Amino acid sequence: MSKHSDFILKPQSSILQDAINVFALIDNGMTSYPAKEYFMQSTFLKMTGAQEQKFKCVVWELATVDYTYRYELLREGLGECSAYKDKNSIFIKLTDYINQKQVYTINNYYDIINNATNIINKFCFKFGQYLGNSIKYYDEVVAKTNSFINDPKELFKANEHLSGNIGIVSKNKNDDGNNIYGLLWKHRNRCAHNLQSYQDNSPSFAELDKPLYKFYNYLVFFYLLLLIDYKLIEYYKKFIEITKQVF
Protein backbone atom coordinates (compact mmCIF):
# COMPACT_ATOMS: atom_id res chain seq x y z
CA MET A 1 0.00 0.00 0.00
CA SER A 2 1.40 3.42 -0.98
CA LYS A 3 2.10 6.35 1.34
CA HIS A 4 -0.83 8.10 -0.32
CA SER A 5 -3.13 5.27 0.69
CA ASP A 6 -2.31 5.63 4.38
CA PHE A 7 -3.34 9.29 4.18
CA ILE A 8 -6.43 8.67 2.04
CA LEU A 9 -7.73 5.95 4.37
CA LYS A 10 -7.31 8.02 7.52
CA PRO A 11 -10.74 9.51 8.33
CA GLN A 12 -10.95 13.27 8.73
CA SER A 13 -12.90 12.69 11.92
CA SER A 14 -9.45 12.54 13.55
CA ILE A 15 -9.13 16.30 12.97
CA LEU A 16 -12.40 16.93 14.80
CA GLN A 17 -11.32 14.60 17.59
CA ASP A 18 -8.08 16.55 17.96
CA ALA A 19 -10.13 19.76 18.17
CA ILE A 20 -12.30 18.27 20.92
CA ASN A 21 -9.23 17.16 22.86
CA VAL A 22 -7.56 20.57 22.61
CA PHE A 23 -10.66 22.58 23.52
CA ALA A 24 -11.19 20.38 26.57
CA LEU A 25 -8.22 22.22 28.09
CA ILE A 26 -9.89 25.64 27.67
CA ASP A 27 -12.12 27.17 30.33
CA ASN A 28 -15.83 27.21 29.42
CA GLY A 29 -16.38 30.66 30.88
CA MET A 30 -17.16 33.93 29.13
CA THR A 31 -13.49 34.51 28.33
CA SER A 32 -13.51 31.55 25.93
CA TYR A 33 -16.13 33.06 23.61
CA PRO A 34 -13.71 35.33 21.68
CA ALA A 35 -11.60 32.27 20.88
CA LYS A 36 -14.52 30.35 19.38
CA GLU A 37 -14.36 31.72 15.82
CA TYR A 38 -10.59 31.35 15.64
CA PHE A 39 -10.84 27.79 16.87
CA MET A 40 -13.71 26.82 14.55
CA GLN A 41 -12.04 28.47 11.57
CA SER A 42 -8.74 26.72 12.27
CA THR A 43 -10.48 23.32 12.45
CA PHE A 44 -12.46 24.09 9.29
CA LEU A 45 -9.33 25.04 7.32
CA LYS A 46 -7.53 21.91 8.50
CA MET A 47 -10.42 19.77 7.27
CA THR A 48 -10.85 21.50 3.90
CA GLY A 49 -7.10 21.55 3.29
CA ALA A 50 -6.67 17.88 4.16
CA GLN A 51 -9.58 16.91 1.94
CA GLU A 52 -8.20 18.84 -1.02
CA GLN A 53 -4.86 17.07 -0.61
CA LYS A 54 -6.62 13.73 -0.24
CA PHE A 55 -8.41 14.13 -3.58
CA LYS A 56 -5.12 15.07 -5.24
CA CYS A 57 -3.58 11.89 -3.83
CA VAL A 58 -6.46 9.88 -5.31
CA VAL A 59 -5.74 11.53 -8.67
CA TRP A 60 -2.10 10.48 -8.39
CA GLU A 61 -3.05 6.86 -7.64
CA LEU A 62 -5.55 6.78 -10.51
CA ALA A 63 -3.03 8.24 -12.95
CA THR A 64 -0.57 5.53 -11.92
CA VAL A 65 -2.84 2.72 -13.12
CA ASP A 66 -4.97 4.45 -15.78
CA TYR A 67 -2.74 5.81 -18.54
CA THR A 68 -5.62 7.37 -20.47
CA TYR A 69 -6.57 9.35 -17.39
CA ARG A 70 -2.93 10.32 -16.92
CA TYR A 71 -2.84 11.71 -20.45
CA GLU A 72 -6.07 13.67 -19.91
CA LEU A 73 -4.79 14.99 -16.61
CA LEU A 74 -1.49 16.20 -18.06
CA ARG A 75 -3.32 17.84 -20.93
CA GLU A 76 -6.11 19.51 -18.96
CA GLY A 77 -4.49 20.07 -15.56
CA LEU A 78 -5.99 19.86 -12.09
CA GLY A 79 -7.64 22.54 -10.01
CA GLU A 80 -7.37 23.15 -6.28
CA CYS A 81 -9.87 20.37 -5.55
CA SER A 82 -11.81 22.68 -3.24
CA ALA A 83 -14.88 23.15 -5.44
CA TYR A 84 -17.53 20.45 -5.42
CA LYS A 85 -17.35 19.98 -9.19
CA ASP A 86 -13.60 19.18 -8.93
CA LYS A 87 -14.09 16.67 -6.12
CA ASN A 88 -17.07 15.10 -7.85
CA SER A 89 -15.25 14.71 -11.17
CA ILE A 90 -12.40 12.87 -9.40
CA PHE A 91 -14.90 10.67 -7.58
CA ILE A 92 -16.59 9.83 -10.89
CA LYS A 93 -13.20 8.87 -12.40
CA LEU A 94 -12.56 6.63 -9.41
CA THR A 95 -15.92 4.87 -9.62
CA ASP A 96 -15.63 4.52 -13.41
CA TYR A 97 -12.28 2.77 -13.04
CA ILE A 98 -13.65 0.45 -10.34
CA ASN A 99 -16.77 -0.45 -12.32
CA GLN A 100 -14.75 -1.26 -15.42
CA LYS A 101 -13.21 -4.08 -13.41
CA GLN A 102 -16.06 -4.97 -11.07
CA VAL A 103 -19.49 -3.46 -10.51
CA TYR A 104 -19.50 -1.99 -7.02
CA THR A 105 -21.77 0.11 -4.86
CA ILE A 106 -22.04 0.77 -1.14
CA ASN A 107 -24.81 -1.41 0.26
CA ASN A 108 -25.43 0.50 3.45
CA TYR A 109 -24.92 4.24 3.66
CA TYR A 110 -26.08 4.31 7.26
CA ASP A 111 -22.58 3.36 8.43
CA ILE A 112 -21.22 6.48 6.73
CA ILE A 113 -23.98 8.63 8.23
CA ASN A 114 -23.51 7.13 11.70
CA ASN A 115 -19.73 7.60 11.63
CA ALA A 116 -20.19 11.26 10.69
CA THR A 117 -22.96 11.98 13.19
CA ASN A 118 -21.14 10.23 16.06
CA ILE A 119 -18.13 12.54 15.92
CA ILE A 120 -20.34 15.60 15.34
CA ASN A 121 -22.38 14.64 18.42
CA LYS A 122 -19.17 14.55 20.47
CA PHE A 123 -18.31 17.95 19.06
CA CYS A 124 -21.75 19.30 19.99
CA PHE A 125 -21.42 17.92 23.51
CA LYS A 126 -18.24 19.92 24.01
CA PHE A 127 -19.10 23.06 22.05
CA GLY A 128 -22.89 23.17 22.55
CA GLN A 129 -22.91 26.47 24.42
CA TYR A 130 -21.32 28.20 21.41
CA LEU A 131 -23.47 26.67 18.69
CA GLY A 132 -26.92 28.18 19.27
CA ASN A 133 -29.36 27.34 16.46
CA SER A 134 -26.60 25.67 14.42
CA ILE A 135 -27.54 22.31 15.94
CA LYS A 136 -31.16 22.62 14.80
CA TYR A 137 -30.17 23.37 11.20
CA TYR A 138 -27.53 20.65 11.24
CA ASP A 139 -30.23 18.18 12.34
CA GLU A 140 -32.32 19.25 9.35
CA VAL A 141 -29.48 18.28 6.99
CA VAL A 142 -28.90 14.98 8.81
CA ALA A 143 -32.56 14.02 8.44
CA LYS A 144 -32.26 14.34 4.65
CA THR A 145 -28.83 12.72 4.29
CA ASN A 146 -29.81 9.31 3.02
CA SER A 147 -31.68 10.83 0.08
CA PHE A 148 -28.72 12.84 -1.23
CA ILE A 149 -25.76 10.59 -0.39
CA ASN A 150 -27.31 7.43 -1.85
CA ASP A 151 -25.74 7.73 -5.31
CA PRO A 152 -23.15 5.19 -6.56
CA LYS A 153 -21.84 7.46 -9.32
CA GLU A 154 -21.57 10.88 -7.69
CA LEU A 155 -20.68 12.21 -4.25
CA PHE A 156 -24.12 13.77 -3.70
CA LYS A 157 -27.33 13.69 -5.70
CA ALA A 158 -28.03 17.00 -7.36
CA ASN A 159 -31.45 18.59 -6.99
CA GLU A 160 -32.15 17.01 -3.60
CA HIS A 161 -33.67 19.74 -1.48
CA LEU A 162 -34.37 20.56 2.12
CA SER A 163 -37.39 22.61 3.15
CA GLY A 164 -37.73 25.88 1.26
CA ASN A 165 -36.21 24.34 -1.89
CA ILE A 166 -32.69 24.65 -0.49
CA GLY A 167 -30.25 22.38 -2.34
CA ILE A 168 -27.18 20.53 -1.08
CA VAL A 169 -25.46 20.92 -4.45
CA SER A 170 -26.80 22.39 -7.67
CA LYS A 171 -27.70 20.50 -10.82
CA ASN A 172 -24.88 22.06 -12.82
CA LYS A 173 -22.49 21.48 -9.86
CA ASN A 174 -21.44 25.13 -9.72
CA ASP A 175 -20.40 26.37 -6.29
CA ASP A 176 -22.16 29.69 -6.71
CA GLY A 177 -23.35 30.07 -3.14
CA ASN A 178 -26.94 29.11 -4.00
CA ASN A 179 -26.63 25.70 -2.38
CA ILE A 180 -25.21 24.50 0.93
CA TYR A 181 -21.91 23.22 -0.45
CA GLY A 182 -21.60 26.53 -2.27
CA LEU A 183 -21.73 28.25 1.12
CA LEU A 184 -19.01 25.94 2.39
CA TRP A 185 -16.81 26.68 -0.62
CA LYS A 186 -17.35 30.42 -0.31
CA HIS A 187 -16.44 30.35 3.38
CA ARG A 188 -13.37 28.26 2.60
CA ASN A 189 -12.17 30.94 0.19
CA ARG A 190 -12.89 33.74 2.64
CA CYS A 191 -10.88 32.01 5.34
CA ALA A 192 -8.03 30.54 3.29
CA HIS A 193 -7.31 33.81 1.47
CA ASN A 194 -8.20 36.05 4.43
CA LEU A 195 -10.76 37.90 2.32
CA GLN A 196 -12.48 39.05 5.48
CA SER A 197 -9.52 41.35 6.16
CA TYR A 198 -10.89 43.77 3.56
CA GLN A 199 -14.37 42.42 2.84
CA ASP A 200 -15.60 43.60 6.21
CA ASN A 201 -19.15 43.94 4.91
CA SER A 202 -19.45 40.24 3.99
CA PRO A 203 -21.84 38.54 4.16
CA SER A 204 -24.16 41.27 2.94
CA PHE A 205 -27.60 41.97 4.41
CA ALA A 206 -29.09 40.45 1.25
CA GLU A 207 -27.24 37.18 1.94
CA LEU A 208 -28.22 37.19 5.60
CA ASP A 209 -31.87 37.55 4.62
CA LYS A 210 -31.92 34.40 2.48
CA PRO A 211 -33.42 31.19 3.97
CA LEU A 212 -30.26 29.40 2.79
CA TYR A 213 -28.09 31.40 5.17
CA LYS A 214 -29.19 29.48 8.26
CA PHE A 215 -27.03 26.61 6.96
CA TYR A 216 -23.98 28.88 6.92
CA ASN A 217 -22.55 27.26 10.03
CA TYR A 218 -19.61 25.09 10.95
CA LEU A 219 -21.60 22.04 12.06
CA VAL A 220 -23.18 21.67 8.63
CA PHE A 221 -19.84 22.29 6.92
CA PHE A 222 -18.03 19.72 9.07
CA TYR A 223 -20.79 17.20 8.43
CA LEU A 224 -20.69 17.54 4.64
CA LEU A 225 -16.90 17.25 4.63
CA LEU A 226 -17.11 14.07 6.71
CA LEU A 227 -19.73 12.51 4.44
CA ILE A 228 -17.54 13.16 1.40
CA ASP A 229 -14.51 11.76 3.22
CA TYR A 230 -16.16 8.55 4.42
CA LYS A 231 -17.70 7.88 1.01
CA LEU A 232 -14.38 8.44 -0.75
CA ILE A 233 -12.64 6.08 1.69
CA GLU A 234 -15.13 3.27 1.00
CA TYR A 235 -14.59 3.48 -2.74
CA TYR A 236 -10.85 3.85 -2.37
CA LYS A 237 -10.75 0.62 -0.36
CA LYS A 238 -12.37 -1.11 -3.33
CA PHE A 239 -9.87 0.57 -5.67
CA ILE A 240 -6.99 -0.90 -3.65
CA GLU A 241 -8.58 -4.34 -3.74
CA ILE A 242 -9.02 -4.21 -7.51
CA THR A 243 -5.57 -2.84 -8.31
CA LYS A 244 -4.00 -5.62 -6.25
CA GLN A 245 -5.84 -8.14 -8.43
CA VAL A 246 -4.86 -6.39 -11.68
CA PHE A 247 -1.19 -5.93 -10.81
Side-chain angles (χ1 to χ4, degrees):
M1 190 162 64
S2 72
K3 291 181 179 178
H4 286 154
S5 294
D6 292 337
F7 172 57
I8 294 167
L9 294 173
K10 183 178 181 180
Q12 287 192 284
S13 57
S14 62
I15 298 175
L16 274 184
Q17 186 61 58
D18 287 344
I20 294 169
N21 294 340
V22 170
F23 210 78
L25 304 174
I26 299 176
D27 179 29
N28 286 333
M30 186 182 297
T31 54
S32 64
Y33 274 80
K36 184 205 96 173
E37 175 60 25
Y38 286 96
F39 193 83
M40 293 289 192
Q41 188 176 123
S42 175
T43 304
F44 175 69
L45 285 175
K46 282 186 176 183
M47 290 186 70
T48 54
Q51 188 162 99
E52 289 159 24
Q53 295 305 315
K54 184 175 286 196
F55 272 88
K56 290 177 182 178
C57 288
V58 170
V59 167
W60 186 280
E61 295 300 319
L62 273 171
T64 301
V65 298
D66 188 333
Y67 300 132
T68 301
Y69 179 57
R70 182 189 300 183
Y71 169 75
E72 293 173 354
L73 183 65
L74 292 172
R75 184 182 61 184
E76 299 173 3
L78 182 67
E80 291 181 328
C81 297
S82 61
Y84 174 78
K85 60 183 178 182
D86 294 337
K87 293 178 182 179
N88 195 50
S89 66
I90 294 168
F91 181 77
I92 290 171
K93 286 289 184 182
L94 177 64
T95 56
D96 284 348
Y97 179 84
I98 292 170
N99 288 316
Q100 285 173 9
K101 313 298 179 182
Q102 180 182 338
V103 176
Y104 174 74
T105 186
I106 297 173
N107 293 324
N108 190 352
Y109 285 94
Y110 287 106
D111 288 341
I112 290 177
I113 298 170
N114 288 338
N115 287 336
T117 54
N118 284 342
I119 188 65
I120 294 288
N121 288 343
K122 290 182 182 179
F123 195 82
C124 290
F125 180 77
K126 179 58 189 174
F127 295 92
Q129 69 188 72
Y130 307 101
L131 297 173
N133 286 330
S134 296
I135 297 175
K136 179 174 69 173
Y137 302 133
Y138 154 74
D139 287 340
E140 189 174 333
V141 177
V142 172
K144 189 72 173 178
T145 303
N146 196 55
S147 65
F148 68 78
I149 198 175
N150 189 9
D151 191 325
K153 295 184 178 179
E154 300 196 16
L155 285 169
F156 295 149
K157 286 181 181 178
N159 289 340
E160 287 292 334
H161 296 90
L162 306 180
S163 61
N165 206 34
I166 294 171
I168 305 297
V169 295
S170 63
K171 182 178 181 180
N172 59 11
K173 315 300 190 298
N174 289 329
D175 301 313
D176 54 8
N178 292 321
N179 53 80
I180 295 178
Y181 189 93
L183 294 179
L184 185 158
W185 181 72
K186 183 180 288 187
H187 190 62
R188 176 263 181 204
N189 291 340
R190 284 174 175 165
C191 295
H193 303 294
N194 198 23
L195 300 181
Q196 291 168 315
S197 62
Y198 66 92
Q199 293 181 354
D200 55 1
N201 61 339
S202 295
S204 66
F205 286 122
E207 284 184 272
L208 291 171
D209 192 47
K210 293 179 180 178
L212 174 66
Y213 191 79
K214 64 185 179 182
F215 297 104
Y216 196 108
N217 73 69
Y218 285 109
L219 277 188
V220 172
F221 295 165
F222 293 156
Y223 183 60
L224 292 184
L225 290 170
L226 288 172
L227 292 178
I228 291 172
D229 185 59
Y230 281 122
K231 189 169 182 178
L232 180 68
I233 287 173
E234 288 304 309
Y235 277 90
Y236 189 75
K237 287 178 182 177
K238 192 64 180 180
F239 171 78
I240 292 175
E241 178 187 323
I242 288 173
T243 50
K244 282 182 179 178
Q245 295 172 0
V246 173
F247 294 95

